Amino acid sequence: MFQVKADVISKEEISPGVFNLTLISPEISRSARPGQFVHVLCGDQNDRFLLRRPFSIHRVVPGRAFEILFQVVGSGTDELSRVKIHDALDVIGPLGNGFKYSPEIKSALLLAGGLGVAPLLFLAEELTENHVMFYAMLGAKTKTELLRYIDFKRLAKKTFAATEDGSFGHDGTVVALLNRTVHQLRPQVIYACGPEKMLQKISETAEDFGIDCQVSVEAKMACGIGACLGCTYATKRGFRLTCKDGPVFNGRDIMWGGSDVEQLPLDGYDYETAEITDSD
Amino acid sequence: MSVNLSVTLAGIKLKNPVMPASGTFGAGREFSEFFDVGRLGAIVAKTVTLKPREGNMPPRICETTSGMLNSIGLQNEGLEYFLKHDLPYMRKFKIPIIVNIAGNTLEEYAQICRDLKGIEGVSAIELNISCPNIKAGGIAFGASSRLAEQVTAAARYNTDLPLIVKLTPNVYNISKIARAVVSAGADAVSLINTLVGMSIDINTFKPQLANYTGGLSGPAIKPVAVRMVWEVAQTVNVPIIGIGGIMTAEDAIEFFLAGATAVAIGTANFINPTAMIDIINGIERFLSERGLTDIRQLVGKVRL
């Protein structure tokens, strides 16, 4: 992992409120793997205290630059959307464990919901380079929110789209589309990124069909390097760090709804003491 | 002109007065990829408890205005694992190691102190007394001067190592607590731990943390911390480690002026992994720019 000052060489608003930034960093672009992320300092710390924000590596220009794709959803991304070309951003990366794949894979399915295309486009490019055949399925609420459709179409054997309002591709969610088509496509492995509920349903379908399923999840993070233990994700093997053990997990291992306290088993967790402990 | 940054704290000699705050630095493994950890004045390990602790449910952190809330819940692998894996790792930095410990009963604190006896590389013990005392109905040890005194005495009785007590700010009169722990045998005090806070998501109506409440840290708490360090410095004559929202060397200087002999850096490590190195360099620059030769020329020198 590196801490670099990365120059912004391009900034594009590819859809309303969705930005693509290209940042120069030979170090990060050389060692990045699909599914890994970068931890970015947004805005000027002298004006305002902001924790770093994690972003999936969207694509790399080998040995030179990498891209991130983000939507303005809060104060960090709002600051980031205001950077100008030639500004330098303080970036730590590449971080975390990415998607696992081997050239032996016969067929894969990449499933993205909304901004979930962010880590998957990098993966699509890697799979193409390794001659792995794959399908892509992209879902969004509306046609304008459907991101990177053309890019996937260029790389995948077949690219499906689903919009919830039916304005483009299949009418409905990407999960419904998967459930209708999975028995025909029969992928060996599914790679997915998107909202948690979507990932849960995809993992369930994958398990029903005995398909390996790797999902990229997100969590609120502070340090991003595994020191603060803030970004834990509940898995069937206990708490795991999203930043260090993830952000890609096997769908089977995740305890879905883990962030919803009520749904979790109480044994093993010390509630009585936890509530009053004020720190660390 | 060379500047002397070395200080003596509870009998330990530090080459500079900057160290990480417990729980923000792990055992230093992650940060060693960014800078030479051996440049720090000391290393303060993450709180260790007798038995392993799973920690609290996620979400465990949340950003707030000028700060963050955390409710990690003292997740750690327990003392045995710590002694076998983390301590040997930290020894290689060749700087003083301060082991931060916590328990839910007096016996647990006492037991850990006994288990640390004669262990190579432990320079001092820091007591995290912000934990609830199960036998006293869950009130934090640090929230009552009687309990704080008891836990310090229990540790004091069971160790000859320098003893630092980390005070919680969630009290009415922190000087009173400081007096109690010093009279029970603390060699130094560190303050402040985090302030209990809460944040609610107005879209879902749910608390931002699964634990509902958490510890507030970051620049938001710095003025509270400076005030408390200053008050405690008036009350007790042991060295103080100043903690609370220090992001820059200038922030650290405020703590020295208020009466701290050393400072610990927490949340800043998350924003910038090399923050402590920048702060050490900044303190040195501050002193030499003003023709000062020794960090001790700042300690407690606030002009009232």
Side-chain angles (χ1 to χ4, degrees):
Chain A
M1 85 184 84
F2 305 93
Q3 183 178 14
V4 298
K5 290 263 187 276
D7 277 340
V8 178
I9 49 166
S10 82
K11 171 183 162 184
E12 190 191 352
E13 188 165 5
I14 64 165
S15 174
V18 178
F19 292 84
N20 186 92
L21 291 184
T22 308
L23 303 164
I24 295 262
S25 170
E27 300 92 336
I28 292 176
S29 61
R30 252 199 300 273
S31 51
R33 311 296 313 136
Q36 286 190 300
F37 70 97
V38 288
H39 214 26
V40 182
L41 204 56
C42 306
D44 184 355
Q45 292 295 315
N46 293 326
D47 298 341
R48 182 181 194 187
F49 170 92
L50 279 179
L51 292 169
R52 285 173 186 268
R53 298 290 193 263
F55 298 100
S56 288
I57 297 170
H58 182 43
R59 194 187 248 165
V60 299
V61 182
R64 179 171 153 76
F66 66 92
E67 295 176 26
I68 57 173
L69 184 75
F70 66 94
Q71 183 169 23
V72 176
V73 289
S75 45
T77 43
D78 181 59
E79 286 282 353
L80 197 59
S81 72
R82 291 167 202 276
V83 300
K84 296 184 194 72
I85 289 170
H86 298 311
D87 280 355
L89 290 175
D90 185 328
V91 180
I92 297 175
L95 297 166
N97 280 312
F99 296 107
K100 289 173 194 70
Y101 60 89
S102 75
E104 280 87 65
I105 296 174
K106 294 281 178 295
S107 75
L109 172 60
L110 275 56
L111 262 164
L115 258 287
V117 293
L120 292 177
L121 187 57
F122 185 10
L123 178 66
E125 291 187 338
E126 286 277 311
L127 292 179
T128 305
E129 216 162 272
N130 287 287
H131 309 291
V132 174
M133 190 278 282
F134 66 92
Y135 302 100
M137 238 174 238
L138 313 180
K141 285 201 175 68
T142 65
K143 185 183 172 183
T144 43
E145 289 167 56
L146 193 73
L147 305 168
R148 296 295 185 221
Y149 178 73
I150 302 295
D151 302 82
F152 279 98
K153 210 168 157 58
R154 187 168 52 83
L155 299 165
K157 176 154 193 242
K158 192 161 177 8
T159 300
F160 304 83
T163 50
E164 283 172 39
D165 68 348
S167 54
F168 189 80
H170 295 258
D171 190 345
T173 66
V174 75
V175 172
L177 179 60
L178 170 72
N179 290 340
R180 276 210 303 277
T181 50
V182 66
H183 61 281
Q184 294 165 336
L185 302 177
R186 283 273 164 195
Q188 254 179 300
V189 51
I190 291 176
Y191 300 101
C193 184
E196 189 175 291
K197 283 271 178 292
M198 169 192 137
L199 297 180
Q200 175 176 1
K201 286 180 183 152
I202 291 170
S203 296
E204 285 163 5
T205 299
E207 198 155 5
D208 290 346
F209 283 83
I211 303 166
D212 181 34
C213 180
Q214 298 176 33
V215 297
S216 173
V217 302
E218 54 180 0
K220 293 264 172 67
M221 262 177 214
C223 75
I225 57 176
C228 73
L229 311 186
C231 63
T232 36
Y233 220 83
T235 76
K236 288 168 189 160
R237 302 167 191 204
F239 286 144
R240 290 288 181 270
L241 294 177
T242 306
C243 71
K244 209 173 178 178
D245 305 314
V248 176
F249 291 102
N250 196 307
R252 259 197 317 269
D253 291 339
I254 292 185
M255 213 137 93
W256 295 106
S259 54
D260 234 336
V261 188
E262 292 89 343
Q263 297 177 16
L264 277 152
L266 285 160
D267 44 344
Y269 304 114
D270 202 349
Y271 273 102
E272 199 183 16
T273 61
E275 255 179 55
I276 329 164
T277 303
D278 67 23
S279 148
D280 298 335
Chain B
M1 190 167 32
S2 79
V3 173
N4 179 23
L5 289 183
S6 71
V7 294
T8 306
L9 194 100
I12 328 161
K13 204 163 159 45
L14 312 180
K15 62 183 165 199
N16 66 65
V18 179
M19 63 187 88
S22 177
T24 64
F25 200 67
R29 280 190 188 83
E30 295 78 17
F31 289 85
S32 67
E33 296 199 33
F34 295 94
F35 68 92
D36 173 11
V37 175
R39 285 197 57 196
L40 301 176
I43 182 166
V44 185
K46 176 164 173 61
T47 299
V48 59
T49 51
L50 205 51
K51 295 272 172 305
R53 279 179 64 114
E54 277 256 293
N56 292 340
M57 282 290 140
R60 292 176 169 183
I61 53 168
C62 134
E63 189 175 271
T64 57
T65 309
S66 292
M68 63 177 281
L69 288 169
N70 86 78
S71 65
I72 309 299
L74 300 181
Q75 178 181 337
N76 78 99
E77 305 280 354
L79 184 64
E80 204 182 313
Y81 181 97
F82 174 82
L83 294 178
K84 209 165 158 191
H85 297 97
D86 291 342
L87 193 64
Y89 175 81
M90 289 189 287
R91 275 203 287 264
K92 70 176 197 181
F93 297 123
K94 308 255 181 279
I95 51 174
I97 299 168
I98 298 172
V99 178
N100 182 297
I101 68 167
N104 287 118
T105 60
L106 291 175
E107 291 74 32
E108 280 180 25
Y109 282 97
Q111 183 65 48
I112 301 173
C113 286
R114 277 197 295 276
D115 290 348
L116 286 170
K117 202 167 277 179
I119 303 278
E120 187 200 340
V122 181
S123 305
I125 294 176
E126 182 179 56
L127 300 184
N128 176 352
I129 59 169
S130 300
C131 312
N133 179 341
I134 289 176
K135 288 186 184 158
I139 178 180
F141 284 100
S144 126
S145 49
R146 189 178 55 84
L147 290 173
E149 190 173 338
Q150 282 176 1
V151 68
T152 310
R156 179 75 289 166
Y157 185 77
N158 286 286
T159 186
D160 297 324
L161 287 164
L163 192 61
I164 304 164
V165 179
K166 185 167 182 174
L167 305 180
T168 168
N170 303 304
V171 294
Y172 170 64
N173 184 346
I174 198 162
S175 301
K176 202 174 151 197
I177 312 280
R179 216 166 25 232
V181 303
V182 170
S183 68
D187 299 303
V189 289
S190 51
L191 62 149
I192 58 176
N193 206 324
T194 53
L195 285 150
V196 178
M198 183 173 186
S199 179
I200 299 169
D201 183 336
I202 59 164
N203 293 314
T204 60
F205 289 21
K206 286 172 125 182
Q208 300 269 17
L209 300 175
N211 190 46
Y212 306 155
T213 64
L216 181 65
S217 65
I221 71 167
K222 197 189 78 178
V224 178
V226 172
R227 184 267 293 181
M228 288 186 160
V229 165
W230 175 70
E231 277 184 6
V232 170
Q234 315 298 303
T235 316
V236 297
N237 64 351
V238 298
I240 296 169
I241 303 172
I243 317 170
I246 300 174
M247 303 297 287
T248 63
E250 289 71 23
D251 294 336
I253 303 290
E254 269 193 68
F255 280 84
F256 292 119
L257 292 173
T261 299
V263 291
I265 315 300
T267 304
N269 296 322
F270 304 153
I271 307 278
N272 180 10
T274 62
M276 289 187 283
I277 298 300
D278 298 346
I279 289 168
I280 294 167
N281 294 337
I283 293 170
E284 193 165 6
R285 208 176 315 117
F286 180 92
L287 291 171
S288 59
E289 276 169 13
R290 282 160 184 77
L292 299 168
T293 53
D294 198 310
I295 182 71
R296 284 169 293 188
Q297 288 172 287
L298 290 180
V299 176
K301 290 293 155 52
V302 56
R303 291 180 186 154
L304 300 170

